[in-house]
Amino acid sequence: MKLIILGCYSATPRAFTNPTSQVLDIQNHLFLIDCGEGTQVQLRKHRIKFARIRHIFISHLHGDHFFGLPGLISTLVLLGREAPLHVYGPKGIKEAITLLLKLGNSWTNFPLVFHELSSREPQQVFEDEKVEVHTIPLDHRVYTNGYLFREKPGPRKLDIDAVLRYNIDRCYYRNIKNGRDVLLDTGEWISNEKLTSDPPAPGSYAFCSDTVYKPGIIGQLKGVGVLYHESTFLEEHKDLAVKTKHSTAKQAAEIAAGAGAGKLILGHYSVRYGNLEVFREEARTVFPDTELAEDGKVFDF
């Protein structure tokens, strides 16, 4: 997996910072997560091809998380897109986007498919041969979901030395990789474990957008490889976090520690803070493997 941070600040765009948007690359399949204002400019800046994005996941209907979507869709129309585009987000997103298209008389020339969400419980919203995506119900001022991306286990790795040692014909290689045993001409069964090795452990990524501190999500996040969790405030402004239904850096670290995450990435910083390093320092008192999201930063995992 590769995560590209397009924007990671809260509220409004500034000269050198952008609101929330990121691209998750799973085995060359690109998922756009949130689409704050300026997202398409950031996509161009980082040379990410629009055509490769077929699924967009919107956490909630606050402007700093989806105001870039109408512009991106309009650009796709101008570019002559033909492939379907799937948009996942809270109920109401279809009305908001289609009204703008209607008023501008600029309907898409490609299938624009909305998957509107309203459940307060985790649900699977996407699945293909490589990955599945589930919602993570969060607690913000409006209906909000995070998203949990999990790779599916790949095929077992063929042990070439072993299959040659047993003189196994190539026509059986695919079946072996799919986990089957092999019957030799001698009548001897060779177990799959002797002919293959385990595939790499499947990766996982959790995106936890705007939310008040919510320990109830820890169970769903158990063992996640990488967790992105909002950290709008520091502990010194915890009262503001409660009032606005956001989290502090320390609270994000507590979620990561409780879930046994492999890595924590902080983001969605309030613009009141000039030094982001204090977010990392605060979180690392609870969860040492903490990194900072920054516009343009790339994480490989």
Side-chain angles (χ1 to χ4, degrees), residues 10 17 19 22 29 44 46 85 124 127 131 149 153 157-158 192-193 201 218 277 280 295:
S10 65
T17 64
Q22 50 188 245
H29 191 155
R44 290 190 183 279
H46 297 288
L85 181 67
Q124 182 174 301
E127 181 181 21
V131 64
F149 299 79
K157 186 176 180 181
L158 195 67
N192 189 265
E193 289 75 14
I218 288 176
E277 187 59 36
R280 175 158 40 199
D295 292 8

Side-chain angles (χ1 to χ4, degrees), residues 1 27 151-158 197-204 301:
M1 292 187 181
Q27 300 182 41
E151 278 185 313
K152 293 184 176 180
R156 296 183 63 80
K157 186 176 180 181
L158 195 67
S197 58
D198 293 335
S204 56
F301 50 92

Side-chain angles (χ1 to χ4, degrees), residues 154-169:
R156 296 183 63 80
K157 186 176 180 181
L158 195 67
D159 184 337
I160 295 297
D161 290 337
V163 295
L164 292 177
R165 185 167 61 250
Y166 287 105
N167 197 29
I168 296 173
D169 193 277

Side-chain angles (χ1 to χ4, degrees), residues 4 83 85 90 92 96 100 146 178 215 242 258 287 293:
I4 306 166
L85 181 67
L100 290 173
N178 289 333
V242 173
F287 190 80

Side-chain angles (χ1 to χ4, degrees), residues 122-123 134-137 148 150 216-224 259:
Q123 63 179 129
H134 292 79
T135 60
I136 307 169
L148 176 60
R150 290 193 181 278
I217 65 176
I218 288 176
Q220 187 183 1
L221 299 178
K222 282 291 185 182
V224 69

Side-chain angles (χ1 to χ4, degrees), residues 181-246:
D181 300 333
V182 175
L183 178 62
L184 300 180
D185 293 339
T186 61
E188 178 186 3
W189 280 98
I190 306 300
S191 66
N192 189 265
E193 289 75 14
K194 293 181 179 180
L195 303 173
T196 60
S197 58
D198 293 335
S204 56
Y205 173 68
F207 171 81
C208 289
S209 178
D210 299 17
T211 183
V212 73
Y213 177 57
K214 189 180 180 184
I217 65 176
I218 288 176
Q220 187 183 1
L221 299 178
K222 282 291 185 182
V224 69
V226 177
L227 167 64
Y228 172 95
H229 196 289
E230 75 117 293
S231 56
T232 308
F233 297 103
L234 297 173
E235 279 291 299
E236 64 179 299
H237 296 120
K238 187 176 179 179
D239 59 322
L240 290 178
V242 173
K243 181 179 179 180
T244 60
K245 287 206 166 185
H246 284 294

Side-chain angles (χ1 to χ4, degrees), residues 38-56:
T39 292
Q40 64 174 313
V41 175
Q42 288 292 90
L43 288 170
R44 290 190 183 279
K45 181 178 179 180
H46 297 288
R47 299 182 179 181
I48 299 170
K49 293 183 179 179
F50 292 15
R52 293 183 59 200
I53 298 172
R54 302 202 172 197
H55 300 272
I56 300 176

